Amino acid sequence: MAPFRRKVRATDAGDVTRKGPDGGDSSDNGDVSGLKKFTQRKPANTAFKQQRLKAWQPILTPRTVLPTFFLIGLVFAPIGAVLYYFSQQVNEFTIDYTDCRTAPASPQQQQIPTSKYDYQLHDKNTSNYQPPTWSWDEAARTCDLYFSVPAQLDASVFLYYKLTNYYQNHRRYVKSFDSDQLLGKAVSRSTIDGGECKPLDIDDASGKIIYPCGLIANSVFNDTFADPVLLNVAGGDSQNQTYVMSERGIVWPGERDKYKPTSYSANDIVPPPFWTGAGAGGAFGFPQGYSNGTIFDPSDNEHFMVWMRTAGLPTFRKLYKRNDAEPMPAGRYLLRVTDNYPVAMFKGTKSVVFSTVSWVGGRNPFLGLAYIAVAALSVLLGLIFTARHLIRPRKLGDMSFLSWNQPDSHGR
């Protein structure tokens, strides 16, 4: 078998002419045409395409780098201190009522374990503080939480519920809803069946459409919180006084536009399975199903809107009530919770959270501490590099010898 010799491809003008067997030059028309095609692919001879645009490239020297480190520390430190200070001014306390069913029967009370509550108050008055207690009413399935507010909470005051170990960020969970259905459209059975709401799209028993369909709506939080009652009002005419909080205005701006009353007929739809179960209650309790005049209206329930905006972390809190007008007086309070929502199935916990806000938001010191940490690190690195430069300085090169600082052929 004769040996094969690889054909050399012309890549530039010097490759067009090759040596023949006799040592002479031989031209290949195919190579010439290949050269022409190659030259046509060259970028245009412009400053942009040939990367000859003027650019500024900083030269890092101790004279420029060291002051930068100290400047970052000088700027970030006060910003972090301000953010941290105002974050600490936010009053907040949390009570975990997951195990309230183990409490004694009402009206007897038992002190809540210290691991179940957390007070973070910047002006806590210990003389006006008692540990929280709880009691349980089996017949009404209610948990009575007795807690102290040591110092007045200035408006606005927010009431949240908090869940742990609950992964609303799961891919299938996040996608499990039908936006057209929530906008009030009577989406057909063929569209819902096998869509994003699967497996909660069609009811197996009746063959009817589940409304609202999907995992998010089916698992909506349905514990209810009554307005807290201030007990033993000092100097008041009445024994008890209710601190009224509103369930309106708890959704983000623009959220209402995603929900409209449905166009479905009650004969065509059924509630989600958990809305008809033993634990169903409140606005999400439909043990007998839907009938004309009793169909769930998502546009009128802000708790549903808050729940449908899924959380990104497994531990999260969602707003339930608020009072923007009146402060919450100091004293001993009773909060009655109707316990409908099970958390044992996902090994989670549920808590109630009272909080105020400042101009930097809620009580979250992370941002302030992050600024302070960056400032401290910058100053530390600045001191280390300064000491290194003073003890063992490094001789710098002459920047006049850089290529872009050299004169061109015209002496410029």
Side-chain angles (χ1 to χ4, degrees):
M1 180 181 293
F4 290 93
R5 181 165 59 182
R6 182 175 63 88
K7 183 178 180 180
V8 180
R9 183 174 63 88
T11 56
D12 53 27
D15 292 330
V16 178
T17 304
R18 297 179 176 85
K19 299 294 183 181
D22 55 353
D25 295 337
S26 63
S27 299
D28 190 343
N29 293 332
D31 291 342
V32 174
S33 62
L35 173 62
K36 290 181 179 179
K37 293 181 180 179
F38 175 77
T39 56
Q40 291 174 356
R41 294 199 303 266
K42 287 185 177 180
N45 188 21
T46 62
F48 176 75
K49 293 188 176 182
Q50 295 296 335
Q51 301 184 14
R52 295 196 302 265
L53 290 175
K54 292 183 178 180
W56 177 73
Q57 183 176 1
I59 304 300
L60 300 180
T61 63
R63 180 176 296 181
T64 59
V65 172
L66 294 179
T68 302
F69 277 109
F70 292 110
L71 180 62
I72 292 175
L74 185 63
V75 173
F76 276 44
I79 294 177
V82 170
L83 292 176
Y84 181 79
Y85 172 79
F86 283 99
S87 175
Q88 295 300 108
Q89 299 305 303
V90 175
N91 291 314
E92 177 181 297
F93 59 91
T94 304
I95 302 176
D96 183 344
Y97 66 95
T98 308
D99 299 326
C100 189
R101 293 174 183 264
T102 63
S106 183
Q108 297 183 8
Q109 302 178 30
Q110 181 184 44
Q111 183 173 329
I112 301 176
T114 56
S115 60
K116 299 292 185 181
Y117 62 89
D118 179 31
Y119 274 77
Q120 296 181 349
L121 307 176
H122 74 278
D123 52 357
K124 181 177 178 180
N125 183 5
T126 56
S127 62
N128 195 29
Y129 170 77
Q130 299 177 20
T133 59
W134 56 15
S135 62
W136 173 254
D137 187 341
E138 182 63 34
R141 289 192 311 178
T142 57
C143 175
D144 290 341
L145 299 176
Y146 298 86
F147 59 91
S148 296
V149 177
Q152 175 177 289
L153 303 182
D154 296 330
S156 298
V157 180
F158 300 92
L159 170 61
Y160 300 87
Y161 60 88
K162 176 182 175 181
L163 297 178
T164 63
N165 203 38
Y166 196 110
Y167 290 84
Q168 274 197 318
N169 57 1
H170 192 280
R171 179 180 59 85
R172 289 192 63 191
Y173 187 92
V174 171
K175 296 171 58 179
S176 188
F177 71 98
D178 189 280
S179 57
D180 288 337
Q181 198 185 55
L182 297 176
L183 283 171
K185 300 178 183 179
V187 185
S188 65
R189 187 184 189 281
S190 59
T191 303
I192 293 292
D193 191 7
E196 297 291 354
C197 290
K198 188 179 180 179
L200 296 178
D201 47 2
I202 304 297
D203 181 54
D204 294 334
S206 63
K208 296 181 180 181
I209 299 172
I210 296 177
Y211 173 80
C213 69
L215 297 171
I216 309 177
N218 183 62
S219 59
V220 63
F221 185 82
N222 62 345
D223 281 3
T224 59
F225 304 96
D227 284 330
V229 178
L230 176 60
L231 307 175
N232 301 321
V233 180
D237 297 333
S238 60
Q239 183 71 9
N240 300 330
Q241 174 181 314
T242 302
Y243 182 69
V244 180
M245 306 186 77
S246 175
E247 299 181 21
R248 296 291 182 177
I250 60 175
V251 295
W252 290 11
E255 284 294 296
R256 285 184 172 274
D257 299 335
K258 301 178 182 179
Y259 305 92
K260 302 293 181 185
T262 184
S263 301
Y264 282 121
S265 171
N267 297 325
D268 301 329
I269 55 177
V270 294
F274 282 2
W275 295 22
T276 59
F284 309 107
F286 294 89
Q288 305 302 323
Y290 290 138
S291 60
N292 291 331
T294 62
I295 300 177
F296 175 71
D297 183 4
S299 65
D300 192 46
N301 193 303
E302 295 192 15
H303 296 304
F304 181 78
M305 302 179 194
V306 170
W307 181 260
M308 290 298 292
R309 177 172 284 276
T310 55
L313 298 175
T315 297
F316 59 87
R317 63 177 64 173
K318 292 181 181 288
L319 185 60
Y320 192 89
K321 287 186 177 184
R322 63 189 300 169
N323 188 322
D324 299 314
E326 300 177 355
M328 191 173 187
R332 187 74 171 174
Y333 284 84
L334 163 64
L335 177 66
R336 180 155 293 170
V337 182
T338 304
D339 191 351
N340 298 316
Y341 199 73
V343 295
M345 62 178 66
F346 55 88
K347 299 180 181 179
T349 63
K350 53 185 179 179
S351 308
V352 59
V353 181
F354 283 88
S355 178
T356 60
V357 294
S358 67
W359 65 273
V360 297
R363 190 183 182 92
N364 187 358
F366 173 77
L367 186 59
L369 293 176
Y371 270 92
I372 295 175
V374 171
L377 180 61
S378 298
V379 173
L380 177 62
L381 291 177
L383 293 175
I384 293 175
F385 292 151
T386 300
R388 171 66 172 78
H389 180 64
L390 294 177
I391 297 173
R392 297 183 59 185
R394 178 183 177 184
K395 185 178 181 181
L396 300 179
D398 190 349
M399 288 183 290
S400 64
F401 287 100
L402 295 173
S403 60
W404 53 83
N405 289 331
Q406 296 298 310
D408 54 20
S409 58
H410 300 286
R412 293 178 296 187

